[in-house]
Amino acid sequence: MADDGNGPASAMKADLETITSLAKQRGFVFPSAEIYGGFAATYDYGPLGVEMRRNIRESWWQWMVQGRDDVVGIEGAIITNPDVWRASGHVDAFTDPLVDCLQCNARVRADHIVDGVCPSCGTKDRFTEERDFNLLLRTSVGPVADEGAIAYLRPETAQGMFVNFENVLNSTRRRLPFGIAQIGKSFRNEITTQQFIFRTREFEQMEMEFFCHPENALDWFAYWREERMRWYQSIGVRAEHLRFRDHDEDERSHYSSATTDIEVHYPWGWSELEGVAYRGNYDLTVHQEHSGKSLSYFDQQAEEHIIPHVVEPAVGVDRVMLTLLMDAYDEDEVAGEKRVVMRFAPNIAPVAVGVLPLSRNDKLLPTARRVHDVLRPHFRTWYDDAQSIGRRYRRQDEIGTPLCVTVDFETIDDDAVTIRDRDTTEQIRVPISGLVEALRGRLHELQPAVDDPAPIPERS
Ligand code: ATP
């Protein structure tokens, strides 16, 4: 977690406090159950937050599943047979090293301590011995809460793909290589939970397990590393805020021969946004052993049964959202006044087009409503007629709306409106009859350019 000293101070323009406060004021993220004093490391998403999360999920799903012919999706249960977590090793070994500060009794993740300083009280080098703390969140299922009823809230979505490997294979008649993807909530009893929605106990993951032959698994690993970076380009994260970091051998799980993190330069230093891991055939092998069911694949070319190898890109929706909020934040000056502007890409912005009558004048409102009705089926729109037009532009800038349509008194005569661009604040006049096309074209132009894809590894 700590900055490893590589690279300059964060290029992000906002600190965490600024983003947390903007997110609450504008309706992106609220502390959960705030009227009861909140709940540690738990957040609720507001009206703009949910729109943004839907955009993140939809973009990921389009990129990873619907836009390809070699990946399919599933939705597994959050609470499933606890044997899954015994087999995967989570029950015994899903632990973080925990220490207590002897000064203030704060519980801290040992690997998150920088220079021996307690992050809670600042005391140096006064901690208990390290012990393992299991991160699984337990619950009980059924009317009798005895040992036999213990179940777990899933700590990752990945195991859902492994335990359904055979079902997907048989129901879709897939051949290797192919992937299974899933988006869904996961739960971990995290020890350290500062930094807003970066690390929470309930979070949402977007994971894909790509099953392939062992001979070209490393080629697929290289391919998915690039492909995942391209997705971040496609949702507008600036290149200078991102980097790859390959794990050293001693950092990797014993079964992984290659893991790369895609890291972000947050205000507190470079930290993991996404992990891309080559997991060998570890997961299918342990599930085969524990379940007693064959999870092998018959390779027709080689005429032999193999256990496929797996490459896994895994990321959290919440962490992508935090990254986008931080990355998009900008301040500039318009007509001598400071403004805050969120420079979201059009496919991520909660609102794509704001519809603003110049004033609340009765002559304008019916036309403004009509324009809104024309646009609503095509774009994520927001109609706003409260306060002065200048303040409404500022509000749309602050929530990252790329384009605003203004209905003024001339509209009544010429049936034309003004499109105002968030980034340049330039305005152009467009007839209402061509408005949908004009907006679509402009939003398309504003979408960030993306590098060409890496070549697909040769299929064996
Ligand atoms: P860390 O070492 O930071 O605890 P991890 O390496 O255990 O994370 P993974 O198990 O690889 O994380 O999870 C995949 C992705 O899921 C992470 O890259 C992150 O985007 C997201 N994620 C994991 N834990 C959390 C959490 N507690 N809150 C929010 N997102 C999370």
Side-chain angles (χ1 to χ4, degrees):
M1 284 281 291
D3 195 343
D4 58 7
N6 272 334
S10 172
M12 300 285 188
K13 282 208 179 166
D15 56 22
L16 205 55
E17 214 181 309
T18 307
I19 292 300
T20 309
S21 144
L22 183 144
K24 184 180 159 191
Q25 275 169 20
R26 293 293 172 223
F28 287 92
V29 189
F30 305 129
S32 186
E34 201 180 9
I35 59 167
Y36 288 102
F39 193 57
T42 311
Y43 295 90
D44 295 338
Y45 291 96
L48 295 181
V50 286
E51 294 300 329
M52 191 169 164
R53 290 168 68 79
R54 287 173 64 97
N55 296 341
I56 293 168
R57 285 191 215 104
E58 261 158 44
S59 168
W60 189 90
W61 197 256
Q62 173 61 31
W63 193 271
M64 299 295 283
V65 182
Q66 292 176 336
R68 313 180 55 98
D69 59 14
D70 55 0
V71 180
V72 293
I74 61 161
E75 277 189 29
I78 287 175
I79 301 172
T80 186
N81 189 324
D83 283 345
V84 170
W85 309 111
R86 291 190 191 103
S88 65
H90 284 85
V91 171
D92 286 336
F94 190 48
T95 56
D96 275 341
L98 172 75
V99 292
D100 293 349
C101 171
L102 291 170
Q103 185 67 30
C104 71
N105 295 327
R107 300 200 140 171
V108 190
R109 219 171 112 171
D111 57 335
H112 285 178
I113 295 172
V114 183
D115 297 334
V117 175
C118 170
S120 174
C121 71
T123 305
K124 203 164 172 358
D125 294 333
R126 291 208 58 219
F127 296 102
T128 56
E129 285 291 303
E130 246 180 64
R131 60 197 186 279
D132 285 341
F133 176 77
N134 193 294
L135 302 183
L136 283 179
L137 270 164
R138 280 179 174 210
T139 187
S140 60
V141 171
V144 186
D146 61 10
E147 275 294 304
I150 289 174
Y152 304 96
L153 304 190
R154 70 178 171 201
E156 60 175 36
T157 62
Q159 299 303 322
M161 277 74 103
F162 299 125
V163 298
N164 279 298
F165 171 72
E166 202 70 4
N167 280 337
V168 172
L169 196 64
N170 293 337
S171 58
T172 61
R173 321 247 18 110
R174 293 267 149 187
R175 310 295 313 157
L176 288 187
F178 74 94
I180 310 179
Q182 172 165 216
I183 299 180
K185 291 266 183 165
S186 295
F187 303 81
R188 296 179 188 179
N189 199 5
E190 297 279 4
I191 302 166
T192 316
T193 51
Q194 289 125 356
Q195 289 126 356
F196 195 31
I197 53 172
F198 179 81
R199 188 184 304 283
T200 49
R201 300 200 169 99
E202 169 180 343
F203 56 101
E204 187 162 22
Q205 288 187 305
M206 305 186 285
E207 301 195 285
M208 195 274 288
E209 309 304 320
F210 196 77
F211 300 93
C212 53
H213 285 274
E215 305 92 77
N216 63 1
L218 277 171
D219 296 338
W220 279 110
F221 171 73
Y223 168 83
W224 280 112
R225 235 171 141 262
E226 296 303 320
E227 200 49 28
R228 294 303 306 140
M229 200 53 120
R230 273 185 359 107
W231 183 66
Y232 290 108
Q233 289 181 339
S234 82
I235 58 170
V237 184
R238 292 175 229 194
E240 70 262 31
H241 293 163
L242 291 170
R243 73 173 185 190
F244 286 119
R245 190 180 68 80
D246 295 330
H247 282 207
D248 296 332
E249 206 175 327
D250 58 356
E251 260 183 285
R252 292 195 301 257
S253 323
H254 63 277
Y255 49 79
S256 172
S257 47
T259 298
T260 297
D261 286 346
I262 296 178
E263 291 192 332
V264 171
H265 210 175
Y266 296 106
W268 61 89
W270 287 100
S271 292
E272 173 180 340
L273 165 62
E274 160 156 357
V276 183
Y278 171 30
R279 302 174 66 106
N281 63 3
Y282 173 79
D283 305 273
L284 288 179
T285 305
V286 294
H287 284 302
Q288 176 168 283
E289 274 166 26
H290 280 75
S291 68
K293 302 276 176 344
S294 165
L295 297 181
S296 68
Y297 168 88
F298 185 66
D299 180 3
Q300 282 169 337
Q301 254 173 338
E303 295 200 330
E304 60 175 7
H305 285 272
I306 60 162
I307 305 274
H309 282 220
V310 169
V311 176
E312 173 197 81
V315 66
V317 175
D318 316 78
R319 222 171 260 192
V320 173
M321 182 165 172
L322 176 63
T323 303
L324 287 166
L325 286 168
M326 305 226 58
D327 175 85
Y329 184 94
D330 200 5
E331 291 172 9
D332 64 3
E333 236 180 58
V334 172
E337 255 186 59
K338 185 190 136 184
R339 77 164 173 167
V340 167
V341 52
M342 298 297 276
R343 301 199 190 275
F344 292 131
N347 60 345
I348 291 302
V351 178
V353 180
V355 179
L356 318 175
L358 190 64
S359 73
R360 267 194 178 155
N361 188 296
D362 285 347
K363 282 196 190 135
L364 293 182
L365 295 190
T367 314
R369 289 274 176 205
R370 175 166 63 88
V371 169
H372 188 214
D373 288 343
V374 168
L375 299 183
R376 215 202 302 249
H378 302 278
F379 310 102
R380 297 180 303 281
T381 56
W382 189 352
Y383 178 88
D384 186 6
D385 62 12
Q387 297 184 314
S388 77
I389 186 75
R391 292 182 78 149
R392 279 180 280 149
Y393 281 148
R394 286 304 101 79
R395 194 154 56 216
Q396 295 298 325
D397 291 341
E398 220 181 312
I399 66 168
T401 306
L403 300 175
C404 284
V405 169
T406 315
V407 176
D408 55 28
F409 289 99
E410 279 172 55
T411 309
I412 298 161
D413 300 325
D414 66 1
D415 226 30
V417 290
T418 301
I419 299 178
R420 181 227 187 225
D421 191 297
R422 174 195 69 201
D423 293 334
T424 62
T425 72
E426 272 167 22
Q427 308 197 1
I428 52 164
R429 195 123 187 115
V430 177
I432 295 175
S433 58
L435 184 57
V436 170
E437 280 316 296
L439 289 168
R440 193 169 281 142
R442 187 65 193 129
L443 288 172
H444 184 73
E445 281 166 19
L446 292 173
Q447 207 43 55
V450 179
D451 292 344
D452 289 338
I456 293 263
E458 225 171 86
R459 293 171 197 233
S460 53

